[in-house]
Every structure is written in C-alpha cells, then in structure tokens.
Amino acid sequence: FNLPHPQAMQWQGGEYAAETYVKTIREALHELGLFQALPSFVDAYNTQATQILHYLTACAKQVANSREAIRLIAEELNRHGATMSAIYLVDILNAAGHRTQRGGKYTGTPPGIYETISKAYTYYDSNGESSAADKIAKAFTRPDGSYAYE
C-alpha cells in the first residue's frame, strides 16, 4: 500500500480522508483473508447505535453499582455476539449516574475504565461466577481490539 503521510490525510478531505484509506485497507486485507472484523453493533455515527447506547444506559440505571452495570451490559452484548469499545462503556456508566470509587466521573484514559472492567472480571471470577466473568472478558475491548479486562 502506498499512503500519504498521516498529517497529509488529516488536512485532506473527500476521497483522500483517512477514513477512506482505512476502509480500503480493511477491505483489501479481508479479501486476502488476512483480516476478520469482530462482530460489533456499536458505531458512534449510527442512529441505531445511539438507540442501543440509550437502551444500555437505561439498563445500567437499574443496578446499584458499576460492577453490576458492567455485568448487565456484558450479558446483553454476549446475547448478541457483539463487543463494545471500553470508551463507550465510559459514556454509558457516566450517563447512568455511576461514579468511580473516588466519586468522580469515569474517563477513557488508562488505566481508568480498563481497571474497572478488570476489577469486575476478577470479582465475578473469584466469587464462583465464571460465566459472568467470561462474558465481561469477551464483551469489552481496547481500541486495538484486544480484551479490555487484561
């Protein structure tokens, strides 16, 4: 692949925007069998995704703490065979009124939400609820696609 410098992509629009290059590379790698997209139904630029985020936020408001909210959301994602970037989880927990142990809002900066997911995973795993822990492990990802609980 021959690509312009990332700064050049930043200032160009239309067919030369960075998203166009990313889409082209993904399609080419997929056709060659070198890339398989993970199933996902959360896309910030999609109206359906907004509805899903509102639904998950409403679900998260029904539970007492962030750990339970994470479990509930993980179960819903698992039911659909989907994953969610941990960054979206930050928005859901904050919108649902959940706060960190220190009383602040969740942020997407490391370790932040990743530590929260890891603690939820560890809690359920160490309390004999391996099914819940497994769902949490598989539900949330980092921007690079790796599991967020690790």
Side-chain angles (χ1 to χ4, degrees):
F1 296 100
N2 186 8
L3 302 173
H5 190 276
Q7 277 188 321
M9 284 187 225
Q10 176 182 352
W11 301 111
Q12 295 173 334
E15 66 179 285
Y16 299 108
E19 293 81 20
T20 303
Y21 290 107
V22 170
K23 182 180 177 188
T24 303
I25 291 169
R26 283 177 61 124
E27 289 172 356
L29 292 173
H30 182 72
E31 287 176 15
L32 294 170
L34 299 173
F35 174 76
Q36 181 64 40
L38 295 173
S40 177
F41 65 79
V42 177
D43 176 5
Y45 304 104
N46 184 325
T47 310
Q48 183 181 15
T50 303
Q51 292 172 349
I52 292 167
L53 290 174
H54 287 303
Y55 168 73
L56 293 175
T57 301
C59 291
K61 286 181 180 180
Q62 303 301 313
V63 295
N65 60 49
S66 299
R67 181 180 60 237
E68 292 177 30
I70 290 170
R71 177 186 180 161
L72 184 74
I73 293 166
E75 287 173 350
E76 191 65 28
L77 291 167
N78 184 265
R79 204 179 341 262
H80 295 281
T83 62
M84 174 187 287
S85 172
I87 301 304
Y88 291 109
L89 181 61
V90 167
D91 294 336
I92 292 170
L93 293 176
N94 287 333
H98 293 289
R99 296 296 177 251
T100 66
Q101 290 179 341
R102 295 182 180 173
K105 288 188 173 187
Y106 287 95
T107 66
T109 57
I113 194 64
Y114 304 117
E115 185 176 316
T116 304
I117 293 167
S118 180
K119 285 181 178 179
Y121 168 84
T122 302
Y123 173 84
Y124 288 111
D125 190 49
S126 63
N127 285 296
E129 297 185 57
S130 59
S131 175
D134 186 54
K135 289 174 184 173
I136 290 169
K138 293 178 181 174
F140 304 105
T141 60
R142 294 176 184 267
D144 65 3
S146 64
Y147 292 127
Y149 82 101
E150 298 178 313

